[in-house]
Amino acid sequence: MSTALGNHILVEFMNCDPHIMNDVAAIEKDMVAAAQKAGATVINSTFHHFSPYGVSGVVVIQESHLAIHTWPEYGYAAVDLFTCGEMDAWISFDWLKEAFGAKSYSALEMKRGSVKLLQRNDFDMTSMRQKASEWSNPDFYTRNVWFTDKDDMQALSLRFTGEVFYDVQSPFQRVRIIESYKYGKMLALDDMVMTTIQDEFHYHEMISHPAMFTHGNAKNILVIGGGDGGSIREILRHEGVEKVTMVEIDGEVIKACKEFLPEIANSFDHPKLELLVDDGIEFIKNAKPESYDIIIVDGSDPVGPAEGLFSVEFYTNCYNALKKDGIMLAQGESPKFNEKAFTELNHTLQGIFGENKAPISLFFVPTYPTGMWCFQYGIKGDKHPKYVTNEAEIDAFSEANGLRYYNADVHKGSFATPNFVKTLLNKEICQTSTRTV
Ligand code: SAM
């Protein structure tokens, strides 16, 4: 007769592989396997990935629980193996030590619930036994694996299936295709949500059609970034287009999306497309002056390879590469997330294109933090997106192409600027108006 109700092993796994320590899907799988190896019955698993790094999770078993929190930056994992009954948790310990590549560890075992100190209460066991039998299917357990995209103050968490379809560390970023229950498969770069099957059309219809209808006769278009292929898919719906040049820095993004997001990445073989795997910042530096009708900067957040896509020099080069009546727009962050980047970008564009020549188009993307996102424009000539007159043509195109977000009202509405955004932009202007090209 065991002298204690439970057995608790507190483990410090050290010098583990930092990549594994940051991989929520791998850790969830290893922790569940560690329980099953020791003969436990898994009830459910709940795991969370924190950005920029770290994983927290628990596997609830009929015999109690296994829990973990990781510090990838130290190659360290704090693990709790709490079991009752005959289960030998040291089997789980051995499994995890291997799985995490722990080069050193310490473990403290303690008995929990000494029967000498406890008094048993009488209650009806049958209902309990009934419930336990429901959990006797070892393969059935609910998985709760969460992916979190956050900054210091706010976060967006998506529950995902734990399935990882693509996971490559490219020279520029970590490229992953994972699957969320609500939004389907999605592309994540360095743990930031880039696009999902269920809401990508919000972004891709708004990055392309407003500019196309504002220009009215765009033939030569440059896309910088856009590796998922959604922007070119939408632009190439316009028959009048003669050539689209796409400059994406990371071939791994294109490869991953072509294979696992074919609904988005289905225009890479289009005859009007010239695809270059290159740095857009270098490309635009050497671009021929006045050669593009529209330039679209479909870049990621201002970190890593995309940092330079928010600079004065980059947008000055874009300005020079635009034809006299050209239009440029860029992924512009959000007035509610990364306000600094949002505001600074608009001042840069106003400084280069002119004070009233840098309008903002606001729209909603549920899987971006806060859901409120924007494109920021640079108008070189007089073709201003706020003053479109071809509504009927827009709605006819929207219907004919089965668009799910964009239409004439949405076009106009997106350029309506809420007062708090005007205040945000005005507040900064007085400080930075000295910055000129
Ligand atoms: N919708 C996304 C967003 O709002 O963040 C952007 C999607 S798209 C996938 C962003 C692309 O920009 C990525 O494929 C990334 O590799 C690419 N990119 C980043 N920096 C770049 C650069 N300097 N030149 C060209 N492409 C770049």
mmCIF file of all heavy atoms in Angstrom, residues 284-331:
data_model
loop_
_atom_site.group_PDB
_atom_site.id
_atom_site.type_symbol
_atom_site.label_atom_id
_atom_site.label_comp_id
_atom_site.label_asym_id
_atom_site.label_seq_id
_atom_site.Cartn_x
_atom_site.Cartn_y
_atom_site.Cartn_z
ATOM 1 N N ILE A 284 14.914 48.330 -55.715
ATOM 2 C CA ILE A 284 14.332 49.649 -56.023
ATOM 3 C C ILE A 284 15.424 50.724 -56.147
ATOM 4 O O ILE A 284 15.248 51.710 -56.860
ATOM 5 C CB ILE A 284 13.266 50.047 -54.972
ATOM 6 C CG1 ILE A 284 12.328 51.128 -55.528
ATOM 7 C CG2 ILE A 284 13.894 50.525 -53.685
ATOM 8 C CD1 ILE A 284 11.358 50.643 -56.559
ATOM 9 N N LYS A 285 16.554 50.491 -55.474
ATOM 10 C CA LYS A 285 17.689 51.442 -55.575
ATOM 11 C C LYS A 285 18.136 51.530 -57.047
ATOM 12 O O LYS A 285 18.495 52.598 -57.534
ATOM 13 C CB LYS A 285 18.852 50.883 -54.752
ATOM 14 C CG LYS A 285 19.204 51.696 -53.522
ATOM 15 C CD LYS A 285 20.489 51.202 -52.882
ATOM 16 C CE LYS A 285 20.297 51.144 -51.371
ATOM 17 N NZ LYS A 285 21.172 50.144 -50.733
ATOM 18 N N ASN A 286 18.090 50.389 -57.741
ATOM 19 C CA ASN A 286 18.618 50.342 -59.122
ATOM 20 C C ASN A 286 17.516 50.393 -60.170
ATOM 21 O O ASN A 286 17.764 50.163 -61.348
ATOM 22 C CB ASN A 286 19.438 49.046 -59.285
ATOM 23 C CG ASN A 286 20.416 48.900 -58.139
ATOM 24 O OD1 ASN A 286 21.091 49.863 -57.779
ATOM 25 N ND2 ASN A 286 20.423 47.727 -57.509
ATOM 26 N N ALA A 287 16.271 50.639 -59.724
ATOM 27 C CA ALA A 287 15.150 50.634 -60.688
ATOM 28 C C ALA A 287 15.234 51.854 -61.619
ATOM 29 O O ALA A 287 15.715 52.915 -61.215
ATOM 30 C CB ALA A 287 13.825 50.654 -59.930
ATOM 31 N N LYS A 288 14.757 51.647 -62.857
ATOM 32 C CA LYS A 288 14.780 52.749 -63.844
ATOM 33 C C LYS A 288 13.781 53.813 -63.383
ATOM 34 O O LYS A 288 12.666 53.466 -62.944
ATOM 35 C CB LYS A 288 14.326 52.199 -65.213
ATOM 36 C CG LYS A 288 14.910 52.958 -66.394
ATOM 37 C CD LYS A 288 14.819 52.145 -67.695
ATOM 38 C CE LYS A 288 13.701 52.489 -68.635
ATOM 39 N NZ LYS A 288 12.338 52.512 -68.411
ATOM 40 N N PRO A 289 14.160 55.103 -63.426
ATOM 41 C CA PRO A 289 13.226 56.153 -63.002
ATOM 42 C C PRO A 289 11.940 56.130 -63.830
ATOM 43 O O PRO A 289 11.950 55.749 -65.004
ATOM 44 C CB PRO A 289 14.013 57.451 -63.255
ATOM 45 C CG PRO A 289 15.439 57.036 -63.308
ATOM 46 C CD PRO A 289 15.454 55.626 -63.850
ATOM 47 N N GLU A 290 10.835 56.461 -63.172
ATOM 48 C CA GLU A 290 9.530 56.625 -63.840
ATOM 49 C C GLU A 290 9.157 55.409 -64.675
ATOM 50 O O GLU A 290 8.778 55.511 -65.835
ATOM 51 C CB GLU A 290 9.531 57.898 -64.682
ATOM 52 C CG GLU A 290 9.806 59.142 -63.823
ATOM 53 C CD GLU A 290 9.480 60.450 -64.539
ATOM 54 O OE1 GLU A 290 8.986 60.357 -65.681
ATOM 55 O OE2 GLU A 290 9.720 61.507 -63.939
ATOM 56 N N SER A 291 9.277 54.213 -64.107
ATOM 57 C CA SER A 291 8.933 53.024 -64.907
ATOM 58 C C SER A 291 7.666 52.309 -64.440
ATOM 59 O O SER A 291 7.133 51.485 -65.175
ATOM 60 C CB SER A 291 10.107 52.033 -64.904
ATOM 61 O OG SER A 291 10.608 51.893 -63.597
ATOM 62 N N TYR A 292 7.152 52.611 -63.250
ATOM 63 C CA TYR A 292 5.991 51.846 -62.767
ATOM 64 C C TYR A 292 4.740 52.716 -62.599
ATOM 65 O O TYR A 292 4.828 53.860 -62.145
ATOM 66 C CB TYR A 292 6.313 51.168 -61.435
ATOM 67 C CG TYR A 292 7.421 50.148 -61.556
ATOM 68 C CD1 TYR A 292 8.706 50.448 -61.113
ATOM 69 C CD2 TYR A 292 7.185 48.916 -62.156
ATOM 70 C CE1 TYR A 292 9.743 49.517 -61.254
ATOM 71 C CE2 TYR A 292 8.206 47.978 -62.307
ATOM 72 C CZ TYR A 292 9.469 48.284 -61.859
ATOM 73 O OH TYR A 292 10.491 47.370 -62.025
ATOM 74 N N ASP A 293 3.595 52.140 -62.948
ATOM 75 C CA ASP A 293 2.310 52.825 -62.719
ATOM 76 C C ASP A 293 1.918 52.710 -61.249
ATOM 77 O O ASP A 293 1.449 53.659 -60.640
ATOM 78 C CB ASP A 293 1.220 52.184 -63.586
ATOM 79 C CG ASP A 293 1.502 52.340 -65.057
ATOM 80 O OD1 ASP A 293 1.628 53.509 -65.490
ATOM 81 O OD2 ASP A 293 1.650 51.309 -65.750
ATOM 82 N N ILE A 294 2.139 51.501 -60.709
ATOM 83 C CA ILE A 294 1.796 51.262 -59.307
ATOM 84 C C ILE A 294 2.924 50.465 -58.648
ATOM 85 O O ILE A 294 3.467 49.528 -59.260
ATOM 86 C CB ILE A 294 0.474 50.475 -59.180
ATOM 87 C CG1 ILE A 294 -0.711 51.307 -59.697
ATOM 88 C CG2 ILE A 294 0.210 50.049 -57.726
ATOM 89 C CD1 ILE A 294 -2.068 50.604 -59.603
ATOM 90 N N ILE A 295 3.299 50.858 -57.435
ATOM 91 C CA ILE A 295 4.257 50.078 -56.637
ATOM 92 C C ILE A 295 3.542 49.666 -55.349
ATOM 93 O O ILE A 295 2.977 50.510 -54.649
ATOM 94 C CB ILE A 295 5.520 50.883 -56.292
ATOM 95 C CG1 ILE A 295 6.299 51.236 -57.567
ATOM 96 C CG2 ILE A 295 6.421 50.097 -55.332
ATOM 97 C CD1 ILE A 295 7.539 52.092 -57.332
ATOM 98 N N ILE A 296 3.532 48.348 -55.089
ATOM 99 C CA ILE A 296 2.883 47.823 -53.879
ATOM 100 C C ILE A 296 3.954 47.207 -52.982
ATOM 101 O O ILE A 296 4.710 46.338 -53.429
ATOM 102 C CB ILE A 296 1.836 46.758 -54.254
ATOM 103 C CG1 ILE A 296 0.663 47.422 -54.987
ATOM 104 C CG2 ILE A 296 1.361 46.004 -53.025
ATOM 105 C CD1 ILE A 296 -0.420 46.466 -55.453
ATOM 106 N N VAL A 297 4.032 47.690 -51.750
ATOM 107 C CA VAL A 297 5.002 47.131 -50.801
ATOM 108 C C VAL A 297 4.238 46.231 -49.835
ATOM 109 O O VAL A 297 3.590 46.703 -48.900
ATOM 110 C CB VAL A 297 5.752 48.245 -50.051
ATOM 111 C CG1 VAL A 297 6.807 47.650 -49.118
ATOM 112 C CG2 VAL A 297 6.392 49.212 -51.044
ATOM 113 N N ASP A 298 4.258 44.942 -50.137
ATOM 114 C CA ASP A 298 3.523 43.949 -49.329
ATOM 115 C C ASP A 298 4.532 43.263 -48.415
ATOM 116 O O ASP A 298 4.860 42.088 -48.566
ATOM 117 C CB ASP A 298 2.846 42.938 -50.273
ATOM 118 C CG ASP A 298 2.047 41.902 -49.503
ATOM 119 O OD1 ASP A 298 1.983 42.007 -48.259
ATOM 120 O OD2 ASP A 298 1.508 40.975 -50.139
ATOM 121 N N GLY A 299 5.057 44.061 -47.502
ATOM 122 C CA GLY A 299 6.140 43.578 -46.637
ATOM 123 C C GLY A 299 5.627 43.194 -45.262
ATOM 124 O O GLY A 299 4.483 43.479 -44.903
ATOM 125 N N SER A 300 6.480 42.533 -44.490
ATOM 126 C CA SER A 300 6.106 42.139 -43.129
ATOM 127 C C SER A 300 6.405 43.303 -42.171
ATOM 128 O O SER A 300 6.686 44.412 -42.604
ATOM 129 C CB SER A 300 6.876 40.873 -42.735
ATOM 130 O OG SER A 300 8.072 40.752 -43.468
ATOM 131 N N ASP A 301 6.358 43.042 -40.878
ATOM 132 C CA ASP A 301 6.542 44.121 -39.895
ATOM 133 C C ASP A 301 7.975 44.650 -39.927
ATOM 134 O O ASP A 301 8.887 43.977 -40.406
ATOM 135 C CB ASP A 301 6.209 43.573 -38.503
ATOM 136 C CG ASP A 301 4.750 43.131 -38.441
ATOM 137 O OD1 ASP A 301 3.912 43.810 -39.041
ATOM 138 O OD2 ASP A 301 4.474 42.074 -37.843
ATOM 139 N N PRO A 302 8.174 45.880 -39.406
ATOM 140 C CA PRO A 302 9.518 46.512 -39.524
ATOM 141 C C PRO A 302 10.591 45.858 -38.653
ATOM 142 O O PRO A 302 11.224 46.506 -37.816
ATOM 143 C CB PRO A 302 9.258 47.957 -39.105
ATOM 144 C CG PRO A 302 8.041 47.908 -38.264
ATOM 145 C CD PRO A 302 7.204 46.768 -38.788
ATOM 146 N N VAL A 303 10.783 44.562 -38.845
ATOM 147 C CA VAL A 303 11.861 43.842 -38.167
ATOM 148 C C VAL A 303 12.517 42.919 -39.184
ATOM 149 O O VAL A 303 11.944 42.652 -40.243
ATOM 150 C CB VAL A 303 11.320 42.972 -36.998
ATOM 151 C CG1 VAL A 303 10.868 43.826 -35.834
ATOM 152 C CG2 VAL A 303 10.202 42.058 -37.477
ATOM 153 N N GLY A 304 13.744 42.470 -38.876
ATOM 154 C CA GLY A 304 14.422 41.533 -39.770
ATOM 155 C C GLY A 304 14.560 42.105 -41.176
ATOM 156 O O GLY A 304 14.854 43.292 -41.345
ATOM 157 N N PRO A 305 14.287 41.262 -42.215
ATOM 158 C CA PRO A 305 14.524 41.699 -43.596
ATOM 159 C C PRO A 305 13.670 42.897 -43.998
ATOM 160 O O PRO A 305 14.030 43.652 -44.895
ATOM 161 C CB PRO A 305 14.150 40.472 -44.423
ATOM 162 C CG PRO A 305 13.193 39.697 -43.574
ATOM 163 C CD PRO A 305 13.686 39.908 -42.162
ATOM 164 N N ALA A 306 12.541 43.098 -43.293
ATOM 165 C CA ALA A 306 11.601 44.153 -43.714
ATOM 166 C C ALA A 306 11.864 45.499 -43.053
ATOM 167 O O ALA A 306 11.209 46.484 -43.372
ATOM 168 C CB ALA A 306 10.171 43.711 -43.412
ATOM 169 N N GLU A 307 12.859 45.552 -42.169
ATOM 170 C CA GLU A 307 13.092 46.813 -41.451
ATOM 171 C C GLU A 307 13.304 47.968 -42.439
ATOM 172 O O GLU A 307 12.694 49.018 -42.335
ATOM 173 C CB GLU A 307 14.303 46.671 -40.539
ATOM 174 C CG GLU A 307 14.384 47.763 -39.493
ATOM 175 C CD GLU A 307 15.355 47.383 -38.368
ATOM 176 O OE1 GLU A 307 15.819 46.215 -38.354
ATOM 177 O OE2 GLU A 307 15.617 48.258 -37.525
ATOM 178 N N GLY A 308 14.125 47.711 -43.435
ATOM 179 C CA GLY A 308 14.457 48.759 -44.424
ATOM 180 C C GLY A 308 13.289 49.167 -45.297
ATOM 181 O O GLY A 308 13.342 50.187 -45.992
ATOM 182 N N LEU A 309 12.194 48.388 -45.234
ATOM 183 C CA LEU A 309 11.024 48.731 -46.055
ATOM 184 C C LEU A 309 10.220 49.849 -45.409
ATOM 185 O O LEU A 309 9.108 50.160 -45.841
ATOM 186 C CB LEU A 309 10.125 47.504 -46.233
ATOM 187 C CG LEU A 309 10.688 46.292 -46.945
ATOM 188 C CD1 LEU A 309 9.657 45.171 -47.001
ATOM 189 C CD2 LEU A 309 11.172 46.637 -48.354
ATOM 190 N N PHE A 310 10.754 50.446 -44.329
ATOM 191 C CA PHE A 310 10.063 51.556 -43.669
ATOM 192 C C PHE A 310 10.931 52.818 -43.665
ATOM 193 O O PHE A 310 10.642 53.766 -42.957
ATOM 194 C CB PHE A 310 9.661 51.139 -42.243
ATOM 195 C CG PHE A 310 8.539 50.132 -42.201
ATOM 196 C CD1 PHE A 310 8.771 48.792 -42.508
ATOM 197 C CD2 PHE A 310 7.249 50.532 -41.907
ATOM 198 C CE1 PHE A 310 7.738 47.864 -42.497
ATOM 199 C CE2 PHE A 310 6.197 49.602 -41.885
ATOM 200 C CZ PHE A 310 6.446 48.265 -42.199
ATOM 201 N N SER A 311 12.012 52.810 -44.493
ATOM 202 C CA SER A 311 12.970 53.923 -44.424
ATOM 203 C C SER A 311 12.661 55.027 -45.432
ATOM 204 O O SER A 311 12.026 54.787 -46.471
ATOM 205 C CB SER A 311 14.379 53.389 -44.721
ATOM 206 O OG SER A 311 14.440 53.002 -46.095
ATOM 207 N N VAL A 312 13.169 56.221 -45.150
ATOM 208 C CA VAL A 312 13.010 57.378 -46.052
ATOM 209 C C VAL A 312 13.683 57.066 -47.383
ATOM 210 O O VAL A 312 13.119 57.291 -48.460
ATOM 211 C CB VAL A 312 13.620 58.647 -45.416
ATOM 212 C CG1 VAL A 312 13.625 59.785 -46.411
ATOM 213 C CG2 VAL A 312 12.866 59.020 -44.148
ATOM 214 N N GLU A 313 14.882 56.469 -47.297
ATOM 215 C CA GLU A 313 15.618 56.192 -48.542
ATOM 216 C C GLU A 313 14.811 55.251 -49.448
ATOM 217 O O GLU A 313 14.659 55.496 -50.651
ATOM 218 C CB GLU A 313 16.982 55.564 -48.208
ATOM 219 C CG GLU A 313 17.868 55.394 -49.437
ATOM 220 C CD GLU A 313 18.940 54.325 -49.240
ATOM 221 O OE1 GLU A 313 19.088 53.834 -48.076
ATOM 222 O OE2 GLU A 313 19.585 53.946 -50.236
ATOM 223 N N PHE A 314 14.225 54.207 -48.837
ATOM 224 C CA PHE A 314 13.465 53.230 -49.634
ATOM 225 C C PHE A 314 12.300 53.912 -50.346
ATOM 226 O O PHE A 314 12.088 53.744 -51.549
ATOM 227 C CB PHE A 314 12.946 52.107 -48.728
ATOM 228 C CG PHE A 314 12.014 51.143 -49.413
ATOM 229 C CD1 PHE A 314 12.509 50.207 -50.305
ATOM 230 C CD2 PHE A 314 10.647 51.190 -49.175
ATOM 231 C CE1 PHE A 314 11.652 49.322 -50.966
ATOM 232 C CE2 PHE A 314 9.786 50.315 -49.829
ATOM 233 C CZ PHE A 314 10.285 49.390 -50.728
ATOM 234 N N TYR A 315 11.563 54.755 -49.607
ATOM 235 C CA TYR A 315 10.380 55.372 -50.232
ATOM 236 C C TYR A 315 10.759 56.485 -51.204
ATOM 237 O O TYR A 315 10.040 56.771 -52.155
ATOM 238 C CB TYR A 315 9.394 55.823 -49.149
ATOM 239 C CG TYR A 315 8.695 54.625 -48.556
ATOM 240 C CD1 TYR A 315 8.995 54.169 -47.286
ATOM 241 C CD2 TYR A 315 7.796 53.896 -49.329
ATOM 242 C CE1 TYR A 315 8.403 53.016 -46.785
ATOM 243 C CE2 TYR A 315 7.195 52.746 -48.842
ATOM 244 C CZ TYR A 315 7.508 52.312 -47.573
ATOM 245 O OH TYR A 315 6.932 51.157 -47.104
ATOM 246 N N THR A 316 11.911 57.083 -50.996
ATOM 247 C CA THR A 316 12.387 58.059 -51.985
ATOM 248 C C THR A 316 12.687 57.342 -53.292
ATOM 249 O O THR A 316 12.322 57.797 -54.376
ATOM 250 C CB THR A 316 13.653 58.758 -51.456
ATOM 251 O OG1 THR A 316 13.380 59.270 -50.156
ATOM 252 C CG2 THR A 316 14.103 59.855 -52.387
ATOM 253 N N ASN A 317 13.281 56.150 -53.181
ATOM 254 C CA ASN A 317 13.567 55.366 -54.395
ATOM 255 C C ASN A 317 12.270 54.910 -55.061
ATOM 256 O O ASN A 317 12.171 54.871 -56.293
ATOM 257 C CB ASN A 317 14.441 54.167 -54.040
ATOM 258 C CG ASN A 317 15.825 54.597 -53.594
ATOM 259 O OD1 ASN A 317 16.327 55.643 -54.001
ATOM 260 N ND2 ASN A 317 16.427 53.807 -52.702
ATOM 261 N N CYS A 318 11.269 54.582 -54.237
ATOM 262 C CA CYS A 318 9.963 54.207 -54.809
ATOM 263 C C CYS A 318 9.392 55.402 -55.575
ATOM 264 O O CYS A 318 8.908 55.261 -56.705
ATOM 265 C CB CYS A 318 9.003 53.794 -53.707
ATOM 266 S SG CYS A 318 9.357 52.196 -52.977
ATOM 267 N N TYR A 319 9.462 56.602 -54.965
ATOM 268 C CA TYR A 319 8.942 57.818 -55.596
ATOM 269 C C TYR A 319 9.588 57.996 -56.975
ATOM 270 O O TYR A 319 8.918 58.183 -57.975
ATOM 271 C CB TYR A 319 9.238 59.036 -54.723
ATOM 272 C CG TYR A 319 8.733 60.347 -55.273
ATOM 273 C CD1 TYR A 319 7.488 60.840 -54.900
ATOM 274 C CD2 TYR A 319 9.500 61.095 -56.164
ATOM 275 C CE1 TYR A 319 7.002 62.046 -55.423
ATOM 276 C CE2 TYR A 319 9.030 62.289 -56.674
ATOM 277 C CZ TYR A 319 7.791 62.758 -56.307
ATOM 278 O OH TYR A 319 7.324 63.951 -56.835
ATOM 279 N N ASN A 320 10.905 57.857 -57.017
ATOM 280 C CA ASN A 320 11.635 58.065 -58.288
ATOM 281 C C ASN A 320 11.286 57.012 -59.327
ATOM 282 O O ASN A 320 11.289 57.289 -60.521
ATOM 283 C CB ASN A 320 13.141 58.071 -58.012
ATOM 284 C CG ASN A 320 13.523 59.226 -57.113
ATOM 285 O OD1 ASN A 320 12.837 60.253 -57.067
ATOM 286 N ND2 ASN A 320 14.579 59.040 -56.328
ATOM 287 N N ALA A 321 10.957 55.819 -58.892
ATOM 288 C CA ALA A 321 10.655 54.741 -59.850
ATOM 289 C C ALA A 321 9.227 54.805 -60.371
ATOM 290 O O ALA A 321 8.863 54.104 -61.314
ATOM 291 C CB ALA A 321 10.886 53.389 -59.177
ATOM 292 N N LEU A 322 8.404 55.656 -59.765
ATOM 293 C CA LEU A 322 7.007 55.794 -60.206
ATOM 294 C C LEU A 322 6.901 56.742 -61.390
ATOM 295 O O LEU A 322 7.615 57.747 -61.455
ATOM 296 C CB LEU A 322 6.141 56.348 -59.065
ATOM 297 C CG LEU A 322 5.587 55.403 -58.025
ATOM 298 C CD1 LEU A 322 4.860 56.183 -56.934
ATOM 299 C CD2 LEU A 322 4.624 54.393 -58.658
ATOM 300 N N LYS A 323 5.968 56.439 -62.303
ATOM 301 C CA LYS A 323 5.679 57.369 -63.392
ATOM 302 C C LYS A 323 5.039 58.623 -62.788
ATOM 303 O O LYS A 323 4.595 58.609 -61.635
ATOM 304 C CB LYS A 323 4.714 56.719 -64.396
ATOM 305 C CG LYS A 323 5.338 55.576 -65.187
ATOM 306 C CD LYS A 323 4.344 54.985 -66.152
ATOM 307 C CE LYS A 323 4.939 53.760 -66.857
ATOM 308 N NZ LYS A 323 3.908 52.989 -67.584
ATOM 309 N N LYS A 324 4.943 59.719 -63.580
ATOM 310 C CA LYS A 324 4.460 61.013 -63.062
ATOM 311 C C LYS A 324 3.096 60.874 -62.374
ATOM 312 O O LYS A 324 2.836 61.525 -61.373
ATOM 313 C CB LYS A 324 4.374 62.044 -64.192
ATOM 314 C CG LYS A 324 5.745 62.499 -64.699
ATOM 315 C CD LYS A 324 5.621 63.755 -65.547
ATOM 316 C CE LYS A 324 7.002 64.318 -65.925
ATOM 317 N NZ LYS A 324 8.017 63.260 -66.249
ATOM 318 N N ASP A 325 2.214 60.006 -62.894
ATOM 319 C CA ASP A 325 0.881 59.875 -62.279
ATOM 320 C C ASP A 325 0.775 58.567 -61.500
ATOM 321 O O ASP A 325 -0.292 57.989 -61.342
ATOM 322 C CB ASP A 325 -0.210 59.917 -63.367
ATOM 323 C CG ASP A 325 -0.047 58.762 -64.353
ATOM 324 O OD1 ASP A 325 0.989 58.051 -64.254
ATOM 325 O OD2 ASP A 325 -0.933 58.561 -65.207
ATOM 326 N N GLY A 326 1.927 58.130 -60.986
ATOM 327 C CA GLY A 326 1.999 56.835 -60.313
ATOM 328 C C GLY A 326 1.435 56.856 -58.903
ATOM 329 O O GLY A 326 1.287 57.897 -58.264
ATOM 330 N N ILE A 327 1.113 55.642 -58.432
ATOM 331 C CA ILE A 327 0.564 55.451 -57.085
ATOM 332 C C ILE A 327 1.394 54.396 -56.368
ATOM 333 O O ILE A 327 1.736 53.367 -56.962
ATOM 334 C CB ILE A 327 -0.898 54.963 -57.161
ATOM 335 C CG1 ILE A 327 -1.808 56.028 -57.761
ATOM 336 C CG2 ILE A 327 -1.418 54.549 -55.779
ATOM 337 C CD1 ILE A 327 -3.234 55.536 -58.009
ATOM 338 N N MET A 328 1.742 54.643 -55.115
ATOM 339 C CA MET A 328 2.460 53.658 -54.322
ATOM 340 C C MET A 328 1.658 53.406 -53.050
ATOM 341 O O MET A 328 0.990 54.297 -52.531
ATOM 342 C CB MET A 328 3.833 54.255 -53.941
ATOM 343 C CG MET A 328 4.777 53.319 -53.258
ATOM 344 S SD MET A 328 5.412 54.086 -51.740
ATOM 345 C CE MET A 328 3.994 53.752 -50.668
ATOM 346 N N LEU A 329 1.634 52.152 -52.582
ATOM 347 C CA LEU A 329 1.037 51.884 -51.281
ATOM 348 C C LEU A 329 1.837 50.820 -50.568
ATOM 349 O O LEU A 329 2.526 50.004 -51.212
ATOM 350 C CB LEU A 329 -0.431 51.461 -51.400
ATOM 351 C CG LEU A 329 -0.704 50.085 -52.011
ATOM 352 C CD1 LEU A 329 -1.909 49.456 -51.334
ATOM 353 C CD2 LEU A 329 -0.948 50.218 -53.501
ATOM 354 N N ALA A 330 1.752 50.849 -49.240
ATOM 355 C CA ALA A 330 2.548 49.909 -48.445
ATOM 356 C C ALA A 330 1.744 49.366 -47.274
ATOM 357 O O ALA A 330 0.854 50.053 -46.752
ATOM 358 C CB ALA A 330 3.783 50.616 -47.893
ATOM 359 N N GLN A 331 2.080 48.112 -46.888
ATOM 360 C CA GLN A 331 1.534 47.546 -45.657
ATOM 361 C C GLN A 331 1.910 48.523 -44.549
ATOM 362 O O GLN A 331 3.085 48.749 -44.311
ATOM 363 C CB GLN A 331 2.160 46.164 -45.438
ATOM 364 C CG GLN A 331 1.621 45.336 -44.312
ATOM 365 C CD GLN A 331 2.263 45.734 -42.957
ATOM 366 O OE1 GLN A 331 1.584 46.391 -42.180
ATOM 367 N NE2 GLN A 331 3.479 45.342 -42.721
#
